[in-house]
Amino acid sequence: MTAVSQSKLPLKFRFDRQLWQRFVEIAQPYFYPPGPRSSIQFLFLILTQLVFVVAFTFFFVVSLALIGFQFAPKFFSGLVNEIIYLKFLSSLGKSSIEIFQNLLTYLPAYIFLVLLVVSSGIFYAYRRKLKGREKQWLVLGLLLFLAFIVSSLNVLISYVFRFIDNALNGRNPQVFWEFLWVYGITLVIAIPILISYRYTRRKLALFWREWLTNTFLKDYFSNRAYYELDSNAANTDIDNPDQRMTEDVNSFTTTILDLILDILDSILDLVAFTGILYSISTQLTIGLLGYVSIATILALWIGTKLIKINFNQLRLEGDFRYGMVHVRDNAESIAFYRGENLELSQVEGRLGRAIRNYDLLIVWLALLDIFQYAYNYFARLVPYLIVAPLYFAKQVDFGTIGQGIFAFQMVLSALSIIPTRIQSISSFAASIERLGMLYERFRQRETRDVVGSGIVNYPSTHFKVDGLTLNTPNAEQTLFQNLSFELTPPQSLLVVGTSGCGKSSLLRAIAGLWRNGTGTIESPDYTQALFLPQQPYMLLGTLREQLKYPNLRENVTDEEIQLALTTVNLENLSVRMGGLGAEKDWAALLSQGEQQRLAFARILLNQPKYVILDEATSALDVTNERRLYELLQSQDITYISVGHRPSLIDYHQTVLDLRSANHSGWQLLAAKDYQFAS
C-alpha cells in the first residue's frame, strides 16, 4: 500500500477498552497461553505473584532488621519506632533474640506465612497450564521482589538523612558519625541491588522481545502470510510489517516493562512515603493529591493527541525507509529508464509527509514541555511553603524539613507518572495499535484457513482444478470462470494466452497464494513441487546455497552440484566466481539467462516430482531452452509451463488456452492439435 493511501486511513486513538484488549492480546501469551477465560487466569496469577512477593518481602525485611539491630541498635530502634509496619519490632524487646522469640507469637507473621504457602501452592497447581513459561514468571517475581527492596531502601535513606540532619542540628558528632557510617553501609548494599534491578528489567525485556519477535515471525512465514502482507500489494491495510516486527516489538517490550515497573515503584513509594508525609502535614498531603489530579487530566488530554501523531510518524518513517530500499533494490531498472527524477520526486514526497507530521509532533511536544516544566518547578515550592512554617513554630524538628521535602518529591514522582511519562506512554500506545492490528490480521488468517473461504485447496498426488473462477485479490476483475482440468503424472501442461488473461494468476491460485474466487484446487504437497518464476529468486548466501535452495533434499554433495552446473551449461560458473563457497550479490552479478539456468540446476539437485514454470526460459535462446526441457522430460517430472513461444508446444502434451475467440472463456486441447495465433 502506498503512503498516500495509508494516510487516508481513519485513525481515532484514545485510551479506551480496545487499546487495553490489544495490549492484553500481545502481552499475555508470553506469560500465559491464550484460551477461554485465560485473561482472568493470567490476572489472577499476577495478583498471586504479588501476594507471594509481599509475603516474602515481609520476612526478608524483618530478617534484615534483626541483623541491623546487631550492628546499629540506636539507628534501628529509632527507625522501627517511625515506620508503622515495623513498630511491632520495637515493642518486642531490644535484643534480636527477644524479637525473634516474640515474633513467633505475632499474628501478622502467621498471616504472611499462610499467604506465602498458599500463593506457592497456586503456582504449583498451575505448572502444567504454564506450558514451559516458568522462566518468565521467575524473572518477573525477582523483578517485583527487587522493586519492593528498592522502595524499602528509599524509605531507609530518608530516615538516615533525617537522623543525620538532627545530629547536625543538635551538634552531636558521635551520633552524626555513627549514622553517617550507616548511610555508607546502606549505599554499599543499595548500589548492587539497584544495578541488579535495572539489569533484570533489561534482561526480561530482551527475553520477551526475542519470544514475541519469533512468535510474529512464525505467523509471518506461516501459510505465506508475508505474501499477503507485502506493502506493495493492493489489498493490504498493514503497512510496513517488517517495521512492526522489529522496531515496534522492541519498543513494546522495553516500554511495557519500564512503564509497569515504574507504576509499581510509584505505588510502593506512594504507600511508603504518604504515611511519612501525612505524619508531617495533612494539608501538604491533600494539596499534593489535588495538584497531581489536575495535572494528570491535562496530561491525558495531551497524550491522546500525541498517540495519533506518534502512530503516523512510525508509519511515515517506515514508508520513507521503504522507498529508499525500493530504489536500492531496483537501481539498474531505474537507471535504464533514466527515472531518477521521478524516483527523487516520490522519495521526497514520502520524506515531506514524514517531516510535516514530525513538525506537528514538535508543536505538541513543545506544549507538553511547557506543561511539564511548569508542573515540576511549581511543585518544588510547595513543601517549603508548608513545612518551613511548622519548623519556625517548633512543631517539627530540623531533620523533618529534609525528610518532608524528600517524601514530598517521592510522592510527587509516584503520582506524576502520567504527566511526566505521557510522551513515552503515547509512543507505547501507538506501538500497541500497530502490533495489535498485525496480531489481529494473523488471527483472522488462522480463522479463515480453518473455516475456509473462497477457493478451497486440497492436498493430492496430482494437479486437479475443478470449477475454478478466479478474481484478482481486490475483486475488481474476474480473470476466468469455471475452469477445470486434471494433470496426472507424468503429463505436462502448457498455459498460453494474451497478456493479462490470468496465466500467472492461475499458477498463484494453484500455489495457494490467490484465494479470491470459487472452486477447488487439488495439488501435491509443497515439499514435492518446485516453482520457477521468470525472474528467479537469488537469496543472500553462497553459490552452494543458491543451487541447493529451497533444500528439498539433504546431504547434497559438491560433486552433484558441479554435475548439475555442467548439465545446464554453467560448468565454468563455480571457477569464475571463486568456488561454491563464494558469497556475492548474485542477482546483480548473474545475467537473467544465467539465473534461469541456475534455477533449472535446482531441479536436478532437489529432485521434485512436480515443477511449475512461469516463463522460466524467456531469457534463453532456443537451443538452451530445448536442452533444459529435454532435461525435464528425462527426469520423469510432471510440469506446468506458462509461455508465449510456439517452440514450447514440442515439450508438452496438453495446452490450456485462456485466450478464447471472444476473450471470455478458455479451451483445453492436445498439444498436437493446437496452433499459435499469428
Side-chain angles (χ1 to χ4, degrees):
M1 181 176 289
T2 64
V4 175
S5 60
Q6 289 169 19
S7 63
K8 295 180 181 179
L9 291 175
L11 302 176
K12 295 181 180 179
F13 295 125
R14 51 189 176 272
F15 298 101
D16 57 8
R17 184 176 180 181
Q18 183 186 44
L19 185 66
W20 169 254
Q21 288 176 338
R22 283 181 167 170
F23 164 71
V24 173
E25 284 178 346
I26 300 168
Q28 176 192 315
Y30 180 62
F31 294 94
Y32 195 83
R37 303 178 62 85
S38 60
S39 297
I40 297 176
Q41 297 175 20
F42 171 58
L43 293 176
F44 173 70
L45 285 180
I46 290 287
L47 293 175
T48 301
Q49 188 167 60
L50 278 172
V51 170
F52 175 86
V53 172
V54 169
F56 183 81
T57 304
F58 170 80
F59 291 107
F60 185 81
V61 170
V62 169
S63 300
L64 290 181
L66 293 176
I67 296 172
F69 271 106
Q70 299 295 322
F71 298 97
K74 184 178 295 185
F75 171 78
F76 278 93
S77 296
L79 180 67
V80 298
N81 281 323
E82 295 289 342
I83 301 176
I84 188 170
Y85 49 84
L86 289 180
K87 278 190 175 181
F88 73 91
L89 293 175
S90 63
S91 65
L92 298 177
K94 293 186 178 180
S95 70
S96 297
I97 297 177
E98 289 179 301
I99 292 175
F100 181 75
Q101 290 175 343
N102 291 306
L103 182 63
L104 297 176
T105 62
Y106 188 65
L107 181 61
Y110 287 96
I111 294 176
F112 282 116
L113 182 61
V114 171
L115 292 176
L116 192 67
V117 173
V118 171
S119 57
S120 300
I122 290 173
F123 266 97
Y124 182 78
Y126 270 86
R127 69 191 187 281
R128 297 181 184 274
K129 294 184 178 181
L130 293 179
K131 296 181 179 179
R133 292 169 169 83
E134 292 82 5
K135 182 181 74 172
Q136 36 265 61
W137 284 99
L138 288 173
V139 178
L140 182 60
L142 176 61
L143 268 177
L144 295 175
F145 170 70
L146 290 174
F148 276 81
I149 297 302
V150 169
S151 180
S152 301
L153 287 172
N154 287 330
V155 174
L156 178 65
I157 290 173
S158 76
Y159 279 100
V160 169
F161 282 129
R162 175 177 175 178
F163 295 157
I164 289 175
D165 287 345
N166 284 334
L168 282 172
N169 189 51
R171 291 181 171 84
N172 190 334
Q174 182 179 357
V175 175
F176 170 79
W177 289 112
E178 180 181 343
F179 287 168
L180 202 62
W181 273 107
V182 172
Y183 177 62
I185 295 173
T186 303
L187 286 182
V188 171
I189 297 173
I191 290 175
I193 293 176
L194 290 171
I195 293 173
S196 299
Y197 178 48
R198 300 193 66 83
Y199 174 82
T200 308
R201 283 170 65 158
R202 296 188 182 106
K203 199 68 175 177
L204 181 57
L206 181 63
F207 290 150
W208 197 353
R209 179 191 178 186
E210 179 184 18
W211 185 91
L212 188 57
T213 303
N214 284 329
T215 300
F216 274 110
L217 286 175
K218 289 176 182 176
D219 288 333
Y220 187 60
F221 286 99
S222 175
N223 297 322
R224 289 170 287 205
Y226 60 87
Y227 178 80
E228 291 188 12
L229 295 177
D230 179 12
S231 294
N232 284 323
N235 64 321
T236 180
D237 56 353
I238 304 295
D239 64 272
N240 303 298
D242 54 317
Q243 183 190 33
R244 298 181 188 229
M245 290 183 289
T246 54
E247 295 181 14
D248 289 340
V249 166
N250 185 31
S251 174
F252 176 84
T253 54
T254 302
T255 306
I256 182 58
L257 281 178
D258 287 343
L259 191 60
I260 288 180
L261 291 171
D262 285 346
I263 291 175
L264 177 62
D265 293 341
S266 298
I267 294 174
L268 295 176
D269 289 340
L270 186 64
V271 173
F273 286 97
T274 298
I276 297 174
L277 201 63
Y278 189 81
S279 67
I280 296 173
S281 171
T282 305
Q283 297 89 341
L284 181 61
T285 307
I286 296 174
L288 175 62
L289 292 174
Y291 181 75
V292 173
S293 299
I294 296 173
T296 300
I297 294 173
L298 290 173
L300 287 173
W301 178 74
I302 296 175
T304 302
K305 302 292 183 181
L306 284 173
I307 294 177
K308 179 179 179 179
I309 299 173
N310 277 306
F311 182 96
N312 283 334
Q313 193 61 36
L314 289 170
R315 176 175 55 83
L316 294 172
E317 292 283 0
D319 289 342
F320 172 60
R321 182 173 57 254
Y322 180 79
M324 294 299 297
V325 172
H326 179 75
V327 172
R328 184 190 67 192
D329 291 344
N330 298 275
E332 184 176 66
S333 298
I334 295 171
F336 272 123
Y337 276 107
R338 304 285 184 182
E340 49 270 5
N341 291 333
L342 180 58
E343 295 295 334
L344 174 62
S345 175
Q346 290 188 350
V347 170
E348 285 180 338
R350 292 172 183 250
L351 174 62
R353 286 187 286 272
I355 293 296
R356 285 192 296 274
N357 190 79
Y358 193 75
D359 188 55
L360 180 62
L361 180 63
I362 290 175
V363 172
W364 279 95
L365 288 178
L367 295 175
L368 181 62
D369 287 340
I370 294 172
F371 163 74
Q372 289 181 336
Y373 277 119
Y375 175 80
N376 289 327
Y377 286 142
F378 281 112
R380 295 177 184 272
L381 298 174
V382 178
Y384 287 102
L385 293 174
I386 296 178
V387 179
L390 296 176
Y391 174 72
F392 294 144
K394 299 183 179 180
Q395 296 181 16
V396 296
D397 55 37
F398 181 76
T400 303
I401 298 177
Q403 187 184 30
I405 295 172
F406 184 80
F408 181 89
Q409 292 298 329
M410 295 299 293
V411 174
L412 177 67
S413 176
L415 293 173
S416 302
I417 189 165
I418 292 179
T420 57
R421 296 284 300 275
I422 193 63
Q423 165 62 3
S424 60
I425 292 173
S426 301
S427 300
F428 174 57
S431 295
I432 292 176
E433 289 289 345
R434 290 171 60 79
L435 289 177
M437 292 169 65
L438 184 61
Y439 178 86
E440 289 169 3
R441 171 56 66 86
F442 288 145
R443 301 291 81 78
Q444 288 170 3
R445 293 187 78 258
E446 288 180 358
T447 303
R448 184 199 69 186
D449 292 339
V450 172
V451 176
S453 62
I455 299 170
V456 181
N457 294 75
Y458 293 107
S460 179
T461 58
H462 61 284
F463 292 105
K464 182 179 181 180
V465 175
D466 186 18
L468 177 63
T469 297
L470 183 62
N471 303 321
T472 54
N474 52 17
E476 292 180 352
Q477 181 184 0
T478 298
L479 299 174
F480 47 77
Q481 297 179 347
N482 201 31
L483 173 64
S484 299
F485 68 86
E486 186 171 2
L487 195 64
T488 58
Q491 289 181 322
S492 56
L493 173 70
L494 174 63
V495 183
V496 299
T498 56
S499 179
C501 67
K503 302 185 299 297
S504 297
S505 301
L506 172 61
L507 302 187
R508 296 186 182 103
I510 291 175
L513 301 182
W514 282 19
R515 304 180 64 174
N516 196 355
T518 58
T520 61
I521 297 176
E522 298 180 23
S523 57
D525 186 79
Y526 72 94
T527 59
Q528 299 177 339
L530 197 62
F531 179 78
L532 271 65
Q534 183 177 13
Q535 180 61 55
Y537 171 64
M538 298 286 109
L539 77 156
L540 302 174
T542 64
L543 180 58
R544 181 184 294 105
E545 291 170 330
Q546 292 291 345
L547 290 157
K548 293 167 63 176
Y549 189 82
N551 300 327
L552 300 184
R553 281 181 61 217
E554 297 181 356
N555 303 320
V556 177
T557 65
D558 288 354
E559 289 74 17
E560 290 179 286
I561 293 176
Q562 187 58 51
L563 178 60
L565 287 172
T566 302
T567 305
V568 298
N569 201 18
L570 289 174
E571 60 273 5
N572 296 324
L573 181 63
S574 175
V575 176
R576 180 158 55 94
M577 295 301 168
L580 295 176
E583 187 170 348
K584 300 181 184 295
D585 186 359
W586 303 107
L589 194 60
L590 300 178
S591 68
Q592 186 171 357
E594 289 176 317
Q595 293 180 40
Q596 289 185 345
R597 280 179 281 166
L598 187 148
F600 267 86
R602 290 172 176 169
I603 297 176
L604 298 175
L605 296 172
N606 286 279
Q607 298 179 3
K609 294 181 179 179
Y610 308 91
V611 176
I612 300 176
L613 307 99
D614 187 3
E615 300 192 47
T617 59
S618 60
L620 300 178
D621 56 83
V622 176
T623 302
N624 270 304
E625 179 183 78
R626 181 187 307 111
R627 180 174 185 171
L628 296 180
Y629 267 101
E630 288 176 350
L631 177 65
L632 276 181
Q633 293 174 327
S634 68
Q635 297 293 315
D636 196 28
I637 293 175
T638 300
Y639 55 90
I640 300 175
S641 299
V642 167
H644 296 281
R645 291 179 177 176
S647 58
L648 292 175
I649 293 181
D650 297 336
Y651 317 118
H652 298 81
Q653 297 170 312
T654 310
V655 177
L656 172 63
D657 189 355
L658 298 180
R659 168 190 52 195
S660 64
N662 58 5
H663 301 283
S664 61
W666 53 271
Q667 57 179 339
L668 193 66
L669 301 170
K672 60 183 178 60
D673 299 328
Y674 183 79
Q675 293 291 328
F676 267 87
S678 58

